[in-house]
Coordinates of all heavy atoms in Angstrom, one line a residue:
A1474 N -14.9 16.1 13.9 CA -13.6 16.1 13.1 C -13.7 15.1 12.0 O -14.4 14.1 12.1 CB -12.5 15.8 14.0
G1475 N -13.0 15.3 10.9 CA -13.1 14.4 9.7 C -12.2 13.2 9.9 O -11.4 13.2 10.9
D1476 N -12.3 12.3 9.1 CA -11.5 11.1 9.1 C -10.0 11.4 8.8 O -9.7 12.3 8.0 CB -11.9 10.0 8.1 CG -13.3 9.4 8.5 OD1 -13.7 9.6 9.6 OD2 -13.9 8.9 7.6
Q1477 N -9.1 10.7 9.5 CA -7.7 10.8 9.2 C -7.3 9.7 8.2 O -7.6 8.6 8.5 CB -6.9 10.7 10.5 CG -7.1 11.8 11.4 CD -5.8 12.6 11.5 OE1 -5.3 13.1 10.5 NE2 -5.4 12.8 12.7
V1478 N -6.7 10.1 7.1 CA -6.2 9.1 6.2 C -4.8 9.3 5.8 O -4.3 10.5 5.9 CB -7.1 9.0 4.9 CG1 -8.5 8.7 5.2 CG2 -7.0 10.4 4.1
G1479 N -4.1 8.3 5.5 CA -2.7 8.4 5.1 C -2.4 7.7 3.8 O -3.1 6.8 3.4
K1480 N -1.4 8.2 3.1 CA -1.0 7.6 1.8 C 0.3 6.9 1.9 O 1.3 7.5 2.4 CB -0.9 8.7 0.7 CG -0.6 8.1 -0.7 CD -0.6 9.2 -1.7 CE -0.3 8.7 -3.1 NZ 1.2 8.4 -3.3
V1481 N 0.4 5.7 1.5 CA 1.7 4.9 1.5 C 2.0 4.5 0.1 O 1.2 3.8 -0.5 CB 1.5 3.7 2.4 CG1 2.8 2.9 2.5 CG2 1.1 4.1 3.8
Q1482 N 3.2 4.8 -0.4 CA 3.6 4.4 -1.7 C 4.2 3.0 -1.6 O 4.8 2.7 -0.6 CB 4.5 5.3 -2.3 CG 3.8 6.6 -2.8 CD 4.8 7.5 -3.5 OE1 5.5 8.3 -2.9 NE2 4.8 7.4 -4.8
R1483 N 4.1 2.2 -2.6 CA 4.7 0.9 -2.6 C 6.2 0.9 -2.2 O 6.7 0.0 -1.6 CB 4.5 0.2 -4.0 CG 5.2 -1.1 -4.2 CD 4.7 -2.1 -3.2 NE 5.3 -3.4 -3.5 CZ 6.5 -3.8 -3.0 NH1 7.2 -3.0 -2.2 NH2 7.0 -5.0 -3.2
D1484 N 6.9 1.9 -2.6 CA 8.3 2.0 -2.3 C 8.6 2.1 -0.8 O 9.6 1.8 -0.4 CB 8.9 3.3 -2.9 CG 8.6 3.5 -4.4 OD1 7.7 2.8 -4.9 OD2 9.3 4.3 -5.0
H1485 N 7.6 2.5 -0.1 CA 7.7 2.6 1.4 C 7.5 1.3 2.1 O 7.7 1.3 3.3 CB 6.8 3.7 1.9 CG 7.0 5.1 1.4 ND1 6.0 6.0 1.3 CD2 8.1 5.6 0.8 CE1 6.5 7.1 0.8 NE2 7.8 6.9 0.4
V1486 N 7.0 0.3 1.4 CA 6.8 -1.0 2.0 C 8.0 -1.8 1.8 O 8.3 -2.1 0.6 CB 5.5 -1.6 1.5 CG1 5.3 -3.0 2.1 CG2 4.3 -0.8 1.7
D1487 N 8.7 -2.2 2.8 CA 10.0 -3.0 2.7 C 9.8 -4.3 2.0 O 8.8 -5.0 2.2 CB 10.5 -3.2 4.1 CG 12.0 -3.6 4.0 OD1 12.2 -4.7 3.6 OD2 12.8 -2.8 4.5
D1488 N 10.7 -4.7 1.1 CA 10.6 -5.9 0.3 C 11.1 -7.1 1.1 O 11.0 -8.2 0.6 CB 11.3 -5.8 -1.0 CG 10.5 -5.0 -2.0 OD1 9.3 -5.1 -2.0 OD2 11.2 -4.4 -2.8
R1489 N 11.7 -7.0 2.2 CA 12.2 -8.1 2.9 C 11.0 -8.9 3.5 O 9.9 -8.5 3.5 CB 13.1 -7.7 4.1 CG 14.4 -7.1 3.5 CD 15.3 -6.6 4.6 NE 14.7 -5.3 5.0 CZ 15.2 -4.5 5.8 NH1 16.4 -4.7 6.3 NH2 14.6 -3.4 6.2
G1490 N 11.3 -10.1 4.0 CA 10.2 -10.9 4.6 C 9.5 -11.7 3.5 O 10.1 -12.6 2.9
Q1491 N 8.3 -11.4 3.2 CA 7.5 -12.2 2.3 C 7.7 -11.7 0.8 O 7.1 -12.2 -0.1 CB 6.0 -12.2 2.6 CG 5.7 -12.8 4.0 CD 6.1 -14.2 4.0 OE1 5.8 -15.0 3.0 NE2 6.6 -14.7 5.1
G1492 N 8.5 -10.7 0.6 CA 8.8 -10.2 -0.7 C 7.8 -9.1 -1.2 O 8.1 -8.4 -2.2
I1493 N 6.7 -8.9 -0.5 CA 5.8 -7.9 -1.0 C 5.3 -7.0 0.2 O 4.4 -6.3 0.1 CB 4.5 -8.5 -1.6 CG1 3.9 -9.6 -0.8 CG2 4.8 -8.9 -3.0 CD1 2.6 -10.2 -1.4
G1494 N 6.1 -7.0 1.3 CA 5.9 -6.1 2.4 C 4.8 -6.6 3.4 O 4.3 -5.8 4.1
Q1495 N 4.6 -7.9 3.5 CA 3.6 -8.4 4.4 C 3.9 -8.0 5.8 O 3.0 -7.5 6.5 CB 3.5 -9.9 4.3 CG 2.4 -10.5 5.2 CD 2.2 -12.0 5.0 OE1 2.5 -12.5 3.9 NE2 1.7 -12.6 6.0
R1496 N 5.1 -8.2 6.3 CA 5.4 -7.9 7.7 C 5.3 -6.4 8.0 O 4.7 -6.0 9.0 CB 6.8 -8.4 8.0 CG 7.2 -8.2 9.5 CD 8.6 -8.6 9.9 NE 9.6 -7.7 9.5 CZ 9.8 -6.5 10.1 NH1 9.1 -6.2 11.2 NH2 10.7 -5.7 9.7
W1497 N 5.8 -5.6 7.1 CA 5.8 -4.1 7.3 C 4.3 -3.6 7.3 O 4.0 -2.8 8.1 CB 6.6 -3.4 6.2 CG 8.0 -3.3 6.6 CD1 9.0 -4.2 6.2 CD2 8.6 -2.4 7.5 NE1 10.2 -3.8 6.8 CE2 10.0 -2.8 7.6 CE3 8.2 -1.3 8.2 CZ2 10.9 -2.0 8.4 CZ3 9.1 -0.6 9.0 CH2 10.4 -1.0 9.1
L1498 N 3.5 -4.1 6.4 CA 2.1 -3.7 6.3 C 1.4 -4.1 7.6 O 0.7 -3.3 8.2 CB 1.5 -4.2 5.1 CG 0.1 -3.6 4.8 CD1 0.2 -2.1 4.6 CD2 -0.5 -4.2 3.5
K1499 N 1.4 -5.4 8.0 CA 0.7 -5.9 9.1 C 1.2 -5.5 10.4 O 0.4 -5.2 11.3 CB 0.6 -7.4 9.0 CG -0.2 -8.0 7.9 CD -0.1 -9.5 7.7 CE -0.6 -10.2 8.9 NZ -0.6 -11.7 8.7
E1500 N 2.5 -5.4 10.6 CA 3.1 -5.2 11.9 C 3.6 -3.8 12.2 O 3.9 -3.5 13.3 CB 4.2 -6.2 12.1 CG 3.8 -7.7 12.1 CD 4.9 -8.7 12.2 OE1 6.0 -8.3 12.7 OE2 4.7 -9.8 11.9
V1501 N 3.8 -3.0 11.1 CA 4.4 -1.7 11.3 C 3.4 -0.6 10.8 O 3.0 0.3 11.6 CB 5.7 -1.6 10.6 CG1 6.3 -0.2 10.8 CG2 6.7 -2.6 11.2
I1502 N 3.1 -0.6 9.5 CA 2.3 0.5 8.9 C 0.9 0.6 9.5 O 0.5 1.7 9.9 CB 2.3 0.4 7.4 CG1 3.8 0.6 6.9 CG2 1.4 1.4 6.8 CD1 4.0 0.2 5.4
I1503 N 0.1 -0.5 9.4 CA -1.2 -0.4 9.9 C -1.3 -0.1 11.4 O -2.0 0.8 11.8 CB -2.0 -1.7 9.5 CG1 -2.2 -1.8 8.0 CG2 -3.4 -1.8 10.3 CD1 -2.8 -3.1 7.5
P1504 N -0.5 -0.7 12.3 CA -0.6 -0.3 13.7 C -0.1 1.1 13.9 O -0.7 1.8 14.7 CB 0.4 -1.3 14.3 CG 0.4 -2.5 13.5 CD 0.3 -2.0 12.1
Y1505 N 0.9 1.6 13.2 CA 1.4 2.9 13.4 C 0.3 3.9 13.1 O 0.0 4.8 13.9 CB 2.6 3.2 12.4 CG 3.1 4.6 12.4 CD1 3.8 5.1 13.5 CD2 2.7 5.4 11.4 CE1 4.2 6.4 13.5 CE2 3.1 6.7 11.4 CZ 3.9 7.2 12.4 OH 4.3 8.6 12.4
Y1506 N -0.4 3.8 11.9 CA -1.4 4.8 11.6 C -2.6 4.6 12.4 O -3.3 5.6 12.7 CB -1.8 4.7 10.1 CG -0.7 5.3 9.2 CD1 0.2 4.6 8.5 CD2 -0.7 6.7 9.1 CE1 1.2 5.2 7.7 CE2 0.3 7.4 8.3 CZ 1.2 6.6 7.6 OH 2.1 7.2 6.9
G1507 N -2.9 3.4 12.9 CA -4.0 3.2 13.8 C -3.8 3.9 15.1 O -4.7 4.5 15.7
K1508 N -2.6 3.9 15.7 CA -2.3 4.7 16.9 C -2.4 6.2 16.7 O -2.6 6.9 17.7 CB -0.9 4.3 17.4 CG -0.7 2.9 17.9 CD 0.7 2.7 18.4 CE 0.8 1.2 18.9 NZ 2.2 0.9 19.2
L1509 N -2.3 6.6 15.5 CA -2.4 8.1 15.2 C -3.9 8.4 14.9 O -4.2 9.5 14.4 CB -1.5 8.5 14.0 CG 0.0 8.3 14.2 CD1 0.7 8.7 13.0 CD2 0.4 9.3 15.4
S1510 N -4.8 7.5 15.1 CA -6.2 7.6 14.9 C -6.6 7.8 13.4 O -7.7 8.4 13.1 CB -6.8 8.8 15.7 OG -6.6 8.6 17.1
F1511 N -5.8 7.3 12.5 CA -6.2 7.2 11.1 C -7.2 6.2 10.9 O -7.2 5.1 11.6 CB -5.0 6.9 10.2 CG -4.1 8.1 10.0 CD1 -3.4 8.7 11.0 CD2 -3.9 8.6 8.7 CE1 -2.6 9.8 10.8 CE2 -3.1 9.7 8.5 CZ -2.4 10.3 9.5
T1512 N -8.2 6.4 10.0 CA -9.2 5.4 9.7 C -8.9 4.6 8.5 O -9.4 3.5 8.4 CB -10.6 6.1 9.5 OG1 -10.4 7.1 8.4 CG2 -11.0 6.9 10.8
D1513 N -8.1 5.1 7.6 CA -7.8 4.4 6.3 C -6.4 4.8 5.9 O -5.9 5.9 6.3 CB -8.7 4.8 5.2 CG -10.1 4.5 5.5 OD1 -10.6 3.4 5.2 OD2 -10.8 5.4 6.0
I1514 N -5.8 4.0 5.1 CA -4.6 4.3 4.4 C -4.8 4.0 2.9 O -5.5 3.1 2.6 CB -3.3 3.7 4.9 CG1 -3.4 2.1 4.9 CG2 -2.9 4.1 6.3 CD1 -2.1 1.4 5.2
Y1515 N -4.1 4.8 2.1 CA -4.2 4.6 0.6 C -2.8 4.1 0.2 O -1.8 4.8 0.5 CB -4.6 5.8 -0.1 CG -6.0 6.2 0.2 CD1 -6.4 7.0 1.2 CD2 -7.0 5.7 -0.6 CE1 -7.7 7.3 1.5 CE2 -8.4 6.0 -0.4 CZ -8.7 6.8 0.7 OH -10.0 7.2 1.0
L1516 N -2.8 3.0 -0.5 CA -1.5 2.4 -0.9 C -1.5 2.3 -2.4 O -2.5 1.8 -3.0 CB -1.3 1.0 -0.3 CG 0.0 0.4 -0.5 CD1 0.4 -0.3 0.8 CD2 -0.1 -0.6 -1.6
S1517 N -0.5 2.8 -3.1 CA -0.4 2.6 -4.5 C 0.8 1.7 -4.9 O 1.8 1.7 -4.2 CB -0.2 4.0 -5.2 OG 0.9 4.6 -4.7
S1518 N 0.7 1.0 -5.9 CA 1.7 0.0 -6.3 C 1.6 -0.2 -7.8 O 0.6 -0.2 -8.4 CB 1.5 -1.3 -5.6 OG 2.5 -2.2 -6.1
S1519 N 2.8 -0.3 -8.4 CA 2.9 -0.7 -9.9 C 3.5 -2.1 -10.0 O 4.1 -2.4 -11.1 CB 3.6 0.4 -10.7 OG 4.9 0.5 -10.2
H1520 N 3.4 -2.9 -9.0 CA 4.0 -4.2 -9.0 C 2.9 -5.2 -9.1 O 2.3 -5.5 -8.1 CB 4.9 -4.4 -7.8 CG 6.0 -3.5 -7.7 ND1 7.2 -3.8 -8.4 CD2 6.2 -2.3 -7.1 CE1 8.1 -2.8 -8.2 NE2 7.5 -1.9 -7.4
P1521 N 2.6 -5.8 -10.3 CA 1.4 -6.7 -10.5 C 1.4 -7.9 -9.5 O 0.3 -8.3 -9.1 CB 1.6 -7.1 -11.9 CG 2.3 -6.1 -12.6 CD 3.3 -5.5 -11.5
K1522 N 2.6 -8.4 -9.1 CA 2.6 -9.5 -8.2 C 2.0 -9.2 -6.8 O 1.7 -10.1 -6.1 CB 4.0 -10.1 -8.1 CG 4.4 -10.8 -9.4 CD 5.8 -11.4 -9.3 CE 6.2 -12.0 -10.6 NZ 7.5 -12.7 -10.5
S1523 N 2.0 -7.9 -6.5 CA 1.5 -7.5 -5.2 C 0.0 -7.2 -5.1 O -0.5 -7.1 -4.0 CB 2.3 -6.3 -4.6 OG 2.0 -5.2 -5.4
F1524 N -0.6 -7.0 -6.3 CA -2.0 -6.6 -6.3 C -2.9 -7.6 -5.5 O -3.8 -7.1 -4.7 CB -2.5 -6.5 -7.7 CG -1.9 -5.4 -8.6 CD1 -1.9 -5.5 -9.9 CD2 -1.1 -4.4 -8.0 CE1 -1.3 -4.5 -10.7 CE2 -0.5 -3.4 -8.7 CZ -0.6 -3.5 -10.1
G1525 N -2.8 -8.9 -5.7 CA -3.6 -9.8 -5.0 C -3.4 -9.7 -3.5 O -4.4 -9.8 -2.7
F1526 N -2.2 -9.5 -3.0 CA -1.9 -9.3 -1.6 C -2.6 -8.1 -1.0 O -3.3 -8.2 0.0 CB -0.4 -9.2 -1.4 CG 0.0 -8.8 0.0 CD1 -0.1 -9.7 1.0 CD2 0.5 -7.6 0.2 CE1 0.3 -9.4 2.3 CE2 0.9 -7.2 1.5 CZ 0.8 -8.1 2.5
Y1527 N -2.5 -7.0 -1.7 CA -3.2 -5.8 -1.2 C -4.7 -5.9 -1.2 O -5.4 -5.3 -0.4 CB -2.7 -4.5 -2.0 CG -1.2 -4.3 -1.8 CD1 -0.4 -4.1 -2.8 CD2 -0.7 -4.3 -0.5 CE1 1.0 -3.9 -2.7 CE2 0.7 -4.1 -0.3 CZ 1.5 -3.9 -1.4 OH 2.8 -3.7 -1.2
E1528 N -5.2 -6.6 -2.2 CA -6.7 -6.8 -2.2 C -7.2 -7.6 -1.0 O -8.4 -7.5 -0.6 CB -7.1 -7.5 -3.5 CG -7.0 -6.7 -4.7 CD -7.2 -7.4 -6.0 OE1 -7.1 -8.6 -6.1 OE2 -7.3 -6.7 -7.1
K1529 N -6.3 -8.4 -0.4 CA -6.7 -9.1 0.9 C -6.9 -8.1 2.0 O -7.7 -8.4 2.9 CB -5.7 -10.1 1.2 CG -5.6 -11.3 0.3 CD -4.5 -12.3 0.7 CE -4.4 -13.4 -0.4 NZ -3.3 -14.3 0.0
F1530 N -6.2 -7.0 2.0 CA -6.3 -6.0 3.1 C -7.3 -4.9 2.8 O -7.8 -4.3 3.7 CB -4.9 -5.4 3.3 CG -3.9 -6.3 4.0 CD1 -3.1 -7.1 3.3 CD2 -3.9 -6.3 5.4 CE1 -2.2 -7.9 4.0 CE2 -3.0 -7.1 6.1 CZ -2.1 -7.9 5.4
G1531 N -7.5 -4.6 1.6 CA -8.4 -3.5 1.2 C -9.1 -3.7 -0.1 O -9.2 -4.8 -0.7
K1532 N -9.5 -2.6 -0.6 CA -10.3 -2.5 -1.9 C -9.5 -1.7 -2.9 O -9.1 -0.6 -2.6 CB -11.6 -1.9 -1.6 CG -12.5 -1.9 -2.8 CD -13.9 -1.2 -2.4 CE -14.8 -1.1 -3.6 NZ -16.0 -0.5 -3.2
E1533 N -9.5 -2.2 -4.2 CA -8.9 -1.4 -5.2 C -9.9 -0.2 -5.5 O -11.1 -0.4 -5.7 CB -8.8 -2.3 -6.5 CG -8.2 -1.5 -7.7 CD -8.2 -2.3 -9.0 OE1 -8.2 -3.5 -8.9 OE2 -8.1 -1.6 -10.0
I1534 N -9.3 1.0 -5.6 CA -10.2 2.1 -5.8 C -9.8 2.9 -7.1 O -10.6 3.7 -7.5 CB -10.1 3.1 -4.6 CG1 -8.6 3.6 -4.4 CG2 -10.7 2.5 -3.4 CD1 -8.5 4.8 -3.4
A1535 N -8.7 2.6 -7.7 CA -8.3 3.2 -8.9 C -7.1 2.5 -9.6 O -6.5 1.7 -9.0 CB -7.8 4.7 -8.6
S1536 N -7.0 2.7 -10.9 CA -5.8 2.2 -11.6 C -5.2 3.4 -12.3 O -5.9 4.4 -12.6 CB -6.2 1.1 -12.5 OG -7.2 1.5 -13.5
Y1537 N -4.0 3.2 -12.7 CA -3.3 4.3 -13.4 C -2.1 3.8 -14.2 O -1.8 2.6 -14.1 CB -2.7 5.3 -12.3 CG -1.7 4.7 -11.4 CD1 -0.3 4.8 -11.7 CD2 -2.1 4.0 -10.2 CE1 0.6 4.2 -10.8 CE2 -1.1 3.5 -9.4 CZ 0.2 3.6 -9.7 OH 1.1 3.0 -8.8
T1538 N -1.5 4.6 -15.0 CA -0.3 4.3 -15.7 C 0.7 5.4 -15.4 O 0.4 6.5 -15.2 CB -0.6 4.2 -17.3 OG1 -1.1 5.5 -17.7 CG2 -1.5 3.1 -17.6
S1539 N 2.0 5.0 -15.4 CA 3.0 5.9 -15.1 C 4.3 5.4 -15.9 O 4.4 4.3 -16.3 CB 3.3 6.0 -13.6 OG 3.8 4.8 -13.1
A1540 N 5.2 6.4 -16.1 CA 6.4 6.0 -16.8 C 7.3 5.2 -15.8 O 7.3 5.5 -14.6 CB 7.1 7.3 -17.2
S1541 N 8.1 4.3 -16.4 CA 9.1 3.6 -15.6 C 10.2 4.5 -15.1 O 10.2 5.7 -15.6 CB 9.6 2.4 -16.4 OG 10.3 2.9 -17.5
D1542 N 11.0 4.1 -14.2 CA 12.1 4.9 -13.7 C 13.0 5.5 -14.8 O 13.4 6.6 -14.7 CB 12.9 4.2 -12.6 CG 12.1 3.8 -11.4 OD1 11.1 4.5 -11.1 OD2 12.6 2.9 -10.6
N1543 N 13.2 4.7 -15.8 CA 14.1 5.1 -16.9 C 13.3 5.8 -18.0 O 13.9 6.3 -19.0 CB 14.9 4.0 -17.5 CG 14.0 2.9 -18.1 OD1 12.9 3.1 -18.3 ND2 14.7 1.8 -18.3
G1544 N 12.0 5.9 -17.8 CA 11.2 6.6 -18.8 C 10.9 5.9 -20.1 O 10.3 6.4 -21.0
L1545 N 11.4 4.6 -20.2 CA 11.2 3.9 -21.5 C 10.0 3.1 -21.6 O 9.5 2.7 -22.7 CB 12.5 3.0 -21.7 CG 13.8 3.7 -21.7 CD1 14.9 2.6 -21.8 CD2 13.9 4.6 -22.9
L1546 N 9.4 2.7 -20.5 CA 8.2 1.9 -20.5 C 7.0 2.5 -19.7 O 7.2 3.5 -18.9 CB 8.5 0.5 -19.7 CG 9.7 -0.3 -20.3 CD1 10.0 -1.4 -19.3 CD2 9.3 -0.8 -21.7
T1547 N 5.8 2.1 -20.0 CA 4.7 2.5 -19.3 C 4.3 1.4 -18.3 O 4.2 0.2 -18.7 CB 3.5 2.8 -20.2 OG1 3.9 3.8 -21.1 CG2 2.3 3.2 -19.4
R1548 N 4.1 1.7 -17.0 CA 3.7 0.8 -16.0 C 2.3 0.9 -15.6 O 1.8 2.0 -15.5 CB 4.6 0.9 -14.8 CG 6.1 0.8 -15.1 CD 6.9 0.9 -13.9 NE 6.9 -0.3 -13.1 CZ 7.7 -0.6 -12.1 NH1 8.5 0.3 -11.7 NH2 7.6 -1.8 -11.5
E1549 N 1.6 -0.2 -15.4 CA 0.2 -0.2 -14.9 C 0.3 -0.2 -13.4 O 1.1 -1.0 -12.8 CB -0.5 -1.4 -15.5 CG -0.6 -1.5 -17.0 CD -1.5 -0.4 -17.6 OE1 -2.5 0.0 -16.9 OE2 -1.2 0.1 -18.7
G1550 N -0.5 0.5 -12.7 CA -0.5 0.5 -11.3 C -2.0 0.5 -10.8 O -2.9 0.8 -11.5
K1551 N -2.1 0.3 -9.5 CA -3.4 0.3 -8.8 C -3.2 1.0 -7.5 O -2.2 0.9 -6.8 CB -3.9 -1.1 -8.6 CG -4.2 -1.9 -9.9 CD -4.8 -3.2 -9.6 CE -5.1 -3.9 -10.9 NZ -5.9 -5.1 -10.7
C1552 N -4.3 1.6 -7.0 CA -4.4 2.2 -5.7 C -5.4 1.4 -4.9 O -6.5 1.0 -5.4 CB -4.9 3.6 -5.8 SG -3.8 4.7 -6.7
F1553 N -5.1 1.2 -3.6 CA -6.0 0.5 -2.7 C -6.3 1.3 -1.5 O -5.4 2.0 -1.0 CB -5.2 -0.8 -2.3 CG -4.9 -1.7 -3.4 CD1 -3.7 -1.6 -4.1 CD2 -5.8 -2.7 -3.8 CE1 -3.3 -2.4 -5.1 CE2 -5.4 -3.5 -4.9 CZ -4.2 -3.4 -5.5
R1554 N -7.5 1.2 -1.0 CA -7.9 1.8 0.3 C -8.0 0.7 1.3 O -8.7 -0.3 1.1 CB -9.3 2.4 0.1 CG -9.7 3.1 1.4 CD -11.0 3.8 1.3 NE -11.4 4.5 2.5 CZ -12.3 5.4 2.6 NH1 -12.9 5.8 1.5 NH2 -12.5 6.0 3.7
I1555 N -7.2 0.8 2.4 CA -7.1 -0.2 3.4 C -7.7 0.5 4.7 O -7.1 1.4 5.2 CB -5.7 -0.6 3.6 CG1 -5.2 -1.3 2.3 CG2 -5.6 -1.6 4.8 CD1 -3.7 -1.6 2.4
A1556 N -8.8 -0.1 5.2 CA -9.4 0.4 6.4 C -8.6 -0.1 7.6 O -8.1 -1.2 7.7 CB -10.8 -0.1 6.5
I1557 N -8.4 0.8 8.6 CA -7.7 0.5 9.8 C -8.8 0.2 10.9 O -9.5 1.1 11.3 CB -6.8 1.6 10.3 CG1 -5.7 1.8 9.2 CG2 -6.2 1.3 11.6 CD1 -4.8 3.0 9.5
E1558 N -8.8 -1.1 11.3 CA -9.8 -1.5 12.3 C -9.4 -1.0 13.6 O -8.3 -1.1 14.0 CB -10.0 -3.0 12.2 CG -10.5 -3.5 10.9 CD -10.7 -5.0 10.9 OE1 -10.7 -5.6 11.9 OE2 -10.8 -5.5 9.7
K1559 N -10.4 -0.6 14.4 CA -10.2 -0.1 15.8 C -10.3 -1.3 16.7 O -11.1 -2.1 16.6 CB -11.1 1.0 16.1 CG -11.0 2.2 15.2 CD -9.8 2.9 15.6 CE -9.6 4.1 14.6 NZ -8.4 4.8 14.7

């Protein structure tokens, strides 16, 4: 069987706690997908202050630009691949 992977958008990581989703990522998201036998998760974010944090957990695999919520600005974003250790 192939690897199981999941995609998590930055919006799905709660901002409470450390302000960039540290508790949710470490204590909820990674363990949850690990129990489902996922091998990796892909996380995308357009919040520059969080990039260094996500690089501690995984590897940047892509960058992108997207329109802001109001469509007036262009936002730079990055995608990260985070391996789930068994």
Side-chain angles (χ1 to χ4, degrees):
D1476 291 342
Q1477 292 250 53
V1478 297
K1480 180 178 183 279
V1481 179
Q1482 289 185 272
R1483 172 61 178 87
D1484 308 18
H1485 299 157
V1486 180
D1487 194 293
D1488 280 331
R1489 290 173 288 189
Q1491 298 298 320
I1493 50 177
Q1495 180 174 337
R1496 186 181 77 77
W1497 276 96
L1498 190 59
K1499 289 172 67 175
E1500 298 177 19
V1501 177
I1502 294 170
I1503 291 174
Y1505 172 79
Y1506 283 104
K1508 288 179 184 174
L1509 295 176
S1510 299
F1511 280 64
T1512 57
D1513 300 272
I1514 58 173
Y1515 292 89
L1516 186 140
S1517 60
S1518 175
S1519 60
H1520 298 275
K1522 291 182 179 181
S1523 68
F1524 296 159
F1526 170 72
Y1527 296 129
E1528 287 171 346
K1529 292 178 183 177
F1530 283 94
K1532 180 180 177 182
E1533 180 185 338
I1534 58 166
S1536 59
Y1537 63 93
T1538 58
S1539 63
S1541 62
D1542 293 341
N1543 62 13
L1545 299 176
L1546 303 171
T1547 300
R1548 300 180 83 168
E1549 301 290 327
K1551 294 185 179 189
C1552 298
F1553 300 90
R1554 181 178 183 161
I1555 299 172
I1557 299 176
E1558 297 180 17
K1559 300 286 178 188

